[in-house]
Amino acid sequence: MAEPLELRIRNRPEDLSPAMEAISRWLGSRGAFAGAEYLALLAVEELVTNCIKYAYDDALEHWIRVGIRLSGDELVVSIQDDGHPFDPRSLPEPDTDLPVEDRPIGGLGIHLLRNLFDALDYSRVDGHNRVVLRKRAAAEPSV
Amino acid sequence: MSQLQVTVQHHPAAGGGDRVTIQLAGSLDSTTVHLLESRLTPAVASRPVQVVFDLEGLNLVTSAGIRLFLLTSKQQKQQGGQVTFVHLQPQIREVFQIIGSVPGTKIFSNTAELDAYLIARQKAHGSGE
């Protein structure tokens, strides 16, 4: 039973890089499947950055909790914050009929995560947003 | 710290004008995107006809980086330039596929493929003259 990696990231942009390095090292030392590191880093960067930018009205210090777990061939990334309620699933999918350059630029990161991961779940519990992303190692090379 | 190395090279383009190659290595994310932004502005000041992003050493690109790519593509298209991307690692290629094709940009596996395309394009443009 593999222990998860648990990190607390302060809502300051400069605190993101050390956390991402710690995730890289942790996944590397556990021989995660090819692509797991990219997915985990992308998820943490997109969601924690969103949170730092938009989740808080005050200038106080907040802590965002990040969990990375490998169970069998599955990567599970969880992000928890005490900011405004925000369900990333509520963002509309981009209108793919529009040329990319004419599409609204917001929501790009969430769009990527929804497409790259197998599942994106959200819950609001005790004043906290909790997003959980799951991805199984590809059984065959993705096309 | 997440890090990004940016190397800018200017060459004459096959059909005249300036071709700028921007090699990226490391991570293009919300922390490092400003570095690329600050290097891009002077790099494209000469109004190059071709802007080539060589992503061979790029390990991670997030939406912050994609936004800058889209913006650059749009600006170059308005100025009659073209943006191309070469040497995408498999996961970066997947990200590009999700975003969808960007008008005025092209993606190539390697420099030989890119050169072949640029030469063919030049010939096609030149043949009408």
Side-chain angles (χ1 to χ4, degrees):
Chain A
M1 186 66 187
E3 285 291 309
L5 172 70
E6 288 178 349
L7 298 169
R8 290 167 78 237
I9 305 175
R10 203 168 49 130
N11 60 327
R12 299 285 180 267
E14 63 271 25
D15 281 22
L16 192 54
S17 284
M20 286 175 60
E21 277 197 5
I23 292 166
S24 283
R25 280 197 304 273
W26 189 85
L27 286 170
S29 71
R30 271 155 186 79
F33 62 86
E37 182 182 345
Y38 192 99
L39 290 168
L41 293 179
L42 185 70
V44 170
E45 146 87 21
E46 299 290 356
L47 293 170
V48 174
T49 302
N50 268 358
C51 190
I52 291 172
K53 280 188 186 165
Y54 306 117
Y56 304 107
D57 287 334
D58 56 43
L60 300 175
E61 200 171 86
H62 294 270
W63 292 89
I64 301 151
R65 299 176 73 98
V66 171
I68 310 282
R69 203 168 73 229
L70 279 169
S71 50
D73 61 350
E74 191 178 47
L75 167 74
V76 183
V77 179
S78 63
I79 316 269
Q80 187 170 312
D81 67 81
D82 62 348
H84 300 304
F86 172 65
D87 181 351
R89 299 170 308 173
S90 66
L91 285 176
E93 284 283 331
D95 179 356
T96 47
D97 289 338
L98 280 177
V100 172
E101 55 183 5
D102 294 335
R103 289 184 215 159
I105 223 148
L108 193 58
I110 303 291
H111 176 58
L112 286 179
L113 296 179
R114 284 167 103 174
N115 281 277
L116 289 168
F117 279 85
D118 299 329
L120 186 159
D121 296 315
Y122 169 81
S123 56
R124 177 85 183 171
V125 182
D126 295 334
H128 287 75
N129 296 303
R130 184 174 163 81
V131 178
V132 180
L133 293 144
R134 294 169 191 280
K135 176 73 174 185
R136 272 191 193 285
E140 50 200 337
S142 58
V143 179
Chain B
M1 287 295 292
S2 66
Q3 289 189 341
L4 178 72
Q5 287 88 45
V6 182
T7 311
V8 178
Q9 289 175 304
H10 291 265
H11 310 278
D18 189 22
R19 167 170 163 183
V20 178
T21 302
I22 299 157
Q23 281 181 303
L24 301 178
S27 174
L28 181 58
D29 55 38
S30 62
T31 312
T32 59
V33 72
H34 310 291
L35 171 65
L36 176 56
E37 235 171 344
S38 68
R39 298 292 303 278
L40 258 179
T41 310
V44 299
S46 62
R47 293 195 163 230
V49 290
Q50 293 151 16
V51 177
V52 180
F53 285 101
D54 185 336
L55 308 187
E56 186 162 23
L58 195 64
N59 304 314
L60 177 71
V61 61
T62 71
S63 62
I66 296 286
R67 277 189 200 99
L68 184 55
F69 285 150
L70 291 177
L71 188 68
T72 305
S73 303
K74 199 170 177 173
Q75 286 169 345
Q76 289 305 308
K77 196 181 167 198
Q78 284 165 354
Q79 297 180 3
Q82 189 179 29
V83 175
T84 52
F85 297 90
V86 286
H87 298 136
L88 281 69
Q89 293 186 23
Q91 289 177 303
I92 293 182
R93 189 172 279 268
E94 199 179 349
V95 164
F96 273 65
Q97 281 166 351
I98 291 169
I99 300 300
S101 63
V102 183
T105 69
K106 294 219 173 282
I107 294 173
F108 298 95
S109 305
N110 53 53
T111 320
E113 206 180 275
L114 166 68
D115 285 340
Y117 166 78
L118 291 174
I119 289 166
R121 186 169 183 259
Q122 192 51 47
K123 279 185 183 156
H125 281 230
S127 65
E129 288 170 10

